[in-house]
Amino acid sequence: KKAIIDPSLFKYKVQPIKKELYESVIVKASQLSRRKHLFSRDRLKLFLKQHCEAHDGVIKTKAASIAKYSLAEQNFSYFFPDDPPTFIFSPASRRRGRPPKRASLSQEDKVTAKQNIPGNRSKGAKEKTRFQRQKE
């Protein structure tokens, strides 16, 4: 098995959007970054909706995206320098939907828990504890 390559050793060829105004440049990995909030969960969902579809519980790239970006001509080593990962086969689950949520506190338990915190007691509860202390 090959040794893992240090990511800081990579160099990238950056191609401009407007090729008539600028030329391609080769930069180090440390010189690349993206603006904060550019990548979000919503954008990822949109990307997956536009370029992927589910077949028998497996997410696959749409044929239109494969043709547009010439993905059929590429292989794993074109995108990643290391060996491809080996996945352990696990049978598909028959269950549909999300798993049930963990049991949460009932509304009564929440109210009782709030009352037990010294600063959150109602006037009635405070008077009750004061009368109990007076009896003692």
Side-chain angles (χ1 to χ4, degrees), residues 2-71:
K2 289 193 285 184
I4 296 174
I5 300 171
D6 183 19
S8 64
L9 299 175
F10 283 95
K11 292 185 180 178
Y12 297 92
K13 183 177 182 181
V14 179
Q15 296 178 343
I17 295 171
K18 297 179 180 178
K19 294 182 180 182
E20 62 275 355
L21 297 176
Y22 305 100
E23 58 186 47
S24 299
V25 180
I26 296 176
V27 296
K28 296 177 186 174
S30 62
Q31 294 174 305
L32 291 177
S33 65
R34 62 176 155 79
R35 278 181 266 147
K36 198 173 183 179
H37 307 298
L38 195 63
F39 181 79
S40 67
R41 185 178 186 153
D42 291 333
R43 286 181 186 237
L44 178 60
K45 279 183 167 181
L46 179 64
F47 175 80
L48 291 174
K49 265 187 197 174
Q50 290 175 340
H51 298 285
C52 299
E53 56 192 356
H55 288 289
D56 300 325
V58 177
I59 298 173
K60 294 185 177 183
T61 311
K62 289 182 179 178
S65 297
I66 291 172
K68 183 177 180 179
Y69 299 107
S70 306
L71 297 177

Side-chain angles (χ1 to χ4, degrees), residues 87-101:
F87 297 105
I88 300 168
F89 175 76
S90 61
S93 174
R94 294 269 179 214
R95 199 174 66 202
R96 295 275 181 193
R98 290 186 169 172
K101 291 185 177 181

